[in-house]
Amino acid sequence: MDKIFLNGMKAETLIGVYDWEREQMQTLVLDLVIGIPEKTAVSDNIDDTIHYADVCDAVRSSLKNQQFLLLEALAEHVAELVLQDFGAQWIRVRIIKPGILPDVREVGVEIERSTDNV
């Protein structure tokens, strides 16, 4: 399977189970690996692939308008969005919530989904 990736994408959303976490938007860091049709490499046509910028815009816009308690739910939301709206075959979503715990650089979650799961 051919893949494209977006690493270190920053997005803001309201997330957390504690009241103090929900007082303002938090910046998360996302890494997305997205399965694309193999014909893209052969056709060399932008219309046969998934546009990086469109994915970034859609994810950022969606997260800005959503609220989540758990990173797991947020990751599932992102996976479903990319699979359904962009026709991806497979996706790995890794989300980092930096600086949330003392003496821990980052915490996060990683999930993998395919069109078989949706």
Side-chain angles (χ1 to χ4, degrees):
M1 176 182 306
D2 295 351
K3 300 171 188 169
I4 60 172
F5 61 89
L6 297 90
N7 288 335
M9 178 177 65
K10 294 183 179 175
E12 293 189 346
T13 194
L14 194 59
I15 183 151
V17 295
Y18 301 109
D19 290 340
W20 60 267
E21 289 182 289
R22 302 183 68 73
E23 291 176 2
Q24 63 183 7
M25 295 266 220
Q26 295 181 51
T27 301
L28 304 175
V29 180
L30 291 83
D31 294 336
L32 307 179
V33 180
I34 304 167
I36 60 171
E38 292 177 7
K39 68 179 179 179
T40 302
V42 176
S43 73
D44 197 26
N45 185 333
I46 191 74
D47 293 328
D48 291 335
T49 193
I50 296 173
H51 299 255
Y52 308 104
D54 291 349
V55 171
C56 285
D57 290 345
V59 169
R60 286 181 177 141
S61 176
S62 181
L63 294 184
K64 196 167 262 191
N65 294 311
Q66 300 286 327
Q67 296 183 24
F68 301 92
L69 296 175
L70 302 176
L71 284 177
E72 292 85 346
L74 188 149
E76 187 68 31
H77 173 78
V78 171
E80 287 180 17
L81 184 145
V82 175
L83 290 171
Q84 292 176 1
D85 292 1
F86 291 93
Q89 300 170 336
W90 173 89
I91 186 166
R92 178 184 305 131
V93 178
R94 181 174 189 255
I95 303 175
I96 298 165
K97 193 174 185 182
I100 199 69
L101 292 176
D103 299 321
V104 177
R105 183 170 47 108
E106 56 191 30
V107 300
V109 65
E110 180 175 293
I111 67 169
E112 294 183 19
R113 299 292 183 264
S114 69
T115 52
D116 298 336
N117 302 109
V118 177

